[in-house]
Amino acid sequence: MKKTLAVAAIVSSMGFVGSAVAANFAFHGDLDHRFQVYTNHADFLVNDHFKKGGAINTKDDVNDSWGEVKYRMWTEMASDNKNVKGVYAIEIGGLEFGKDGSVGRSVGGLYSGDGVNIETRWAYLDMQVPGVADKMRLKTGLQPFNLNKYFWKETVMGVNLDGQVGNVGYYVGWERPYRVDAGSAGPDVGDVDAFVGKVSFSPMAKSKVGFFGSYIHNDSAVLHDENGARTYNTLDANKWEFKKLKDEFDLSVYTMGLTGKFNINNLFFDGDFIYQGGTIDNATYRDQNGVTSAAHDYDISAFFAHVDVGAKIGATKITGTYMYSSGDDDPTDDNIDAYMATDVDMTFSGVITEGHATTDDYFTERPYILDKGLHLFRVGVDNKVSSKLKVGGALMYMMTAEDITYTGAQGQNFADDSVGTEVDAYVKYKLYPDVTMSMNFGYLFTGDAMDYFESDLNGSADEDIYTVGARIRYKF
């Protein structure tokens, strides 16, 4: 819904009558209220801070529940001909009922209000490139960014150009997700730069094929200890995502991908294949069990694949999914075989990822666990019962691509790859055209690899995990 406001009178009092008449203002909102109940994993949903021996409590009852609000509101200011548009968005995120804002990750809503809890989500200019006949737009600033949902899909600061020539769409850009002041670190040291591009075309109706590429680069400072000996920052398997690496290492990593979407009658196919190569230097690799490599320069060779195959039968959609992220099996060598995403939000699981109501609280946002990769086998069913009601569910089995190895509580050596079997279900109902109420349920029958995250570390997973959530969401 768009609401155009007559703001000329207000702006004219400030001396800008001419510009006000030529501008259109639209306001949008996403007002999300979420609630969650879960069992025996109070330290499980801590956003990729993988906790050996404590994320799942097997000794005491640590069930918990909470409610929170997440509001995103934005305005678009556009010229009459839409050649120029400015977008500004704010977000109030993770505002938990009764949470003390001085404790933990989120600012809460306890007695007398919330304290300070507002962030700038978007702030960018989107304009048609002057003098270009075909559609070509330039976007600069803090903006939504989608190179590939399994590699990089989030908000980022950048300058991006996209357009369409006939049947071919294109996108090129420069992103600057991290910067170090040259005055303190020296010139060209610490800045993380990404150069990206993608092209896509439609070989037939309702189908698309695309190619994308990314090159992420960073030069880090050379470190020495107090005696002048060369030292290295730790490349930690628990922080296996580019956005966690920042300025600590020399990055020279390229990622190339092929994507495809095909629809033939009631059948559909979606696929992604990604290869990752390059180097990470000036580092000491350490796996989840504390094993380190003697090397400090590493060659990367990693893969990711995803396939959805399904059919739409009346109001029912059936989807079969396979997903693979490669993992690393030898922490002592100078090769890295584990696929690494940049900044993503995965929703394929209601327990392991963000497929539940309180999406800012999760075990992992990535399509893998630690640096051990993932195999996912999933069957999902969605049914649109009526114009207001939609229900669905999924059955999946997950395992890491490489064993999670670790030392037990009594010094034993364990290794396993089974994450477990999960059952998910949801229901969504439209209370009003712009208001949706939903509930979700997820239950993970844990495999023995999840013992790594349990408090007793005995080589066998002892606790299953469930989540129950609900949300009321107003979007306009």
Side-chain angles (χ1 to χ4, degrees):
M1 177 189 302
K2 293 185 177 181
K3 299 180 180 179
T4 303
L5 303 182
V7 297
I10 299 174
V11 179
S12 64
S13 67
M14 302 170 62
F16 298 108
V17 175
S19 61
V21 172
N24 294 295
F25 291 78
F27 295 89
H28 306 271
D30 183 354
L31 314 183
D32 199 1
H33 297 246
R34 302 100 75 88
F35 305 88
Q36 190 83 358
V37 177
Y38 63 89
T39 181
N40 277 33
H41 58 299
D43 295 319
F44 190 74
L45 303 180
V46 290
N47 301 10
D48 293 299
H49 296 163
F50 298 110
K51 188 174 182 180
K52 176 184 177 181
I56 306 172
N57 197 301
T58 60
K59 300 175 182 178
D60 302 306
D61 186 357
V62 290
N63 297 351
D64 204 354
S65 62
W66 76 93
E68 66 179 21
V69 298
K70 181 178 181 179
Y71 280 21
R72 183 176 297 170
M73 293 165 284
W74 66 100
T75 183
E76 297 178 355
M77 299 145 280
S79 60
D80 285 338
N81 56 14
K82 308 299 182 182
N83 281 343
V84 181
K85 180 173 69 172
V87 180
Y88 178 69
I90 62 172
E91 181 172 294
I92 302 170
L95 187 65
E96 295 186 17
F97 289 29
K99 182 72 172 286
D100 185 346
S102 64
V103 179
R105 180 186 61 82
S106 300
V107 174
L110 70 168
Y111 296 112
S112 302
D114 70 300
V116 179
N117 188 31
I118 297 177
E119 69 170 283
T120 297
R121 181 64 178 178
W122 303 325
Y124 66 94
L125 179 67
D126 175 3
M127 70 176 186
Q128 171 72 24
V129 177
V132 178
D134 293 317
K135 178 182 178 183
M136 181 187 293
R137 299 193 70 88
L138 178 70
K139 297 178 183 177
T140 177
L142 183 63
Q143 59 192 278
F145 177 73
N146 182 10
L147 189 61
N148 179 273
K149 68 177 291 185
Y150 299 102
F151 174 65
W152 196 350
K153 183 182 179 182
E154 249 295 353
T155 294
V156 70
M157 277 285 194
V159 179
N160 298 289
L161 190 71
D162 69 86
Q164 186 86 22
V165 179
N167 191 36
V168 179
Y170 61 88
Y171 187 103
V172 293
W174 164 64
E175 323 306 323
R176 170 60 69 79
Y178 195 81
R179 177 180 178 268
V180 174
D181 189 348
S184 61
D188 299 323
V189 174
D191 296 344
V192 177
D193 291 299
F195 303 92
V196 303
K198 65 179 178 180
V199 60
S200 61
F201 64 94
S202 299
M204 62 182 73
K206 298 182 180 179
S207 300
K208 182 178 286 189
V209 174
F211 306 89
F212 75 87
S214 164
Y215 176 70
I216 298 177
H217 176 77
N218 172 56
D219 289 324
S220 62
V222 176
L223 303 177
H224 298 87
D225 65 16
E226 58 185 9
N227 298 317
R230 178 74 183 271
T231 61
Y232 302 89
N233 286 316
T234 300
L235 180 60
D236 196 334
N238 289 287
K239 299 179 180 180
W240 209 251
E241 195 171 23
F242 279 110
K243 75 175 185 180
K244 302 288 186 181
L245 304 188
K246 298 182 179 179
D247 64 331
E248 301 168 318
F249 315 104
D250 290 347
L251 304 176
S252 183
V253 182
Y254 63 88
T255 305
M256 301 182 296
L258 168 66
T259 65
K261 296 178 181 290
F262 297 93
N263 291 267
I264 303 174
N265 297 324
N266 293 327
L267 304 177
F268 62 87
F269 166 89
D270 296 343
D272 303 85
F273 179 80
I274 301 172
Y275 175 76
Q276 199 164 70
T279 60
I280 299 179
D281 298 334
N282 196 18
T284 297
Y285 175 84
R286 180 177 65 193
D287 80 348
Q288 76 288 341
N289 208 32
V291 178
T292 60
S293 171
H296 300 295
D297 298 331
Y298 303 91
D299 294 323
I300 300 172
S301 182
F303 297 88
F304 175 87
H306 156 263
V307 175
D308 281 338
V309 179
K312 295 180 179 179
I313 306 171
T316 301
K317 182 173 75 171
I318 302 172
T319 307
T321 300
Y322 172 70
M323 189 173 72
Y324 168 74
S325 296
S326 64
D328 195 84
D329 64 347
D330 187 354
T332 63
D333 64 14
D334 61 356
N335 295 312
I336 292 177
D337 305 314
Y339 174 74
M340 184 183 293
T342 302
D343 194 1
V344 295
D345 296 287
M346 296 288 101
T347 59
F348 55 81
S349 162
V351 176
I352 295 295
T353 63
E354 302 175 61
H356 52 73
T358 55
T359 55
D360 285 349
D361 305 276
Y362 46 80
F363 175 66
T364 184
E365 67 177 8
R366 314 163 193 172
Y368 48 83
I369 295 174
L370 298 165
D371 66 337
K372 299 307 174 188
L374 191 70
H375 288 283
L376 168 72
F377 305 88
R378 185 181 188 274
V379 176
V381 178
D382 303 276
N383 182 262
K384 190 173 182 179
V385 179
S386 68
S387 60
K388 293 185 176 182
L389 178 63
K390 187 177 181 180
V391 299
L395 174 67
M396 71 195 80
Y397 178 73
M398 294 173 284
M399 57 188 292
T400 53
E402 303 293 343
D403 285 347
I404 296 179
T405 59
Y406 60 101
T407 303
Q410 306 301 320
Q412 318 97 310
N413 292 322
F414 297 120
D416 208 283
D417 61 3
S418 177
V419 176
T421 300
E422 183 175 330
V423 179
D424 291 345
Y426 74 88
V427 56
K428 293 182 179 180
Y429 185 78
K430 282 193 173 185
L431 301 173
Y432 298 100
D434 298 324
V435 180
T436 302
M437 181 175 182
S438 62
M439 295 189 66
N440 65 272
F441 170 80
Y443 193 100
L444 176 65
F445 299 90
T446 53
D448 286 343
M450 297 301 290
D451 179 64
Y452 174 84
F453 306 102
E454 292 187 344
S455 57
D456 54 359
L457 296 174
N458 61 5
S460 177
D462 302 306
E463 288 286 341
D464 295 336
I465 304 168
Y466 74 76
T467 62
V468 179
R471 70 199 305 180
I472 300 176
R473 193 172 194 178
Y474 175 34
K475 299 179 70 175
F476 59 91

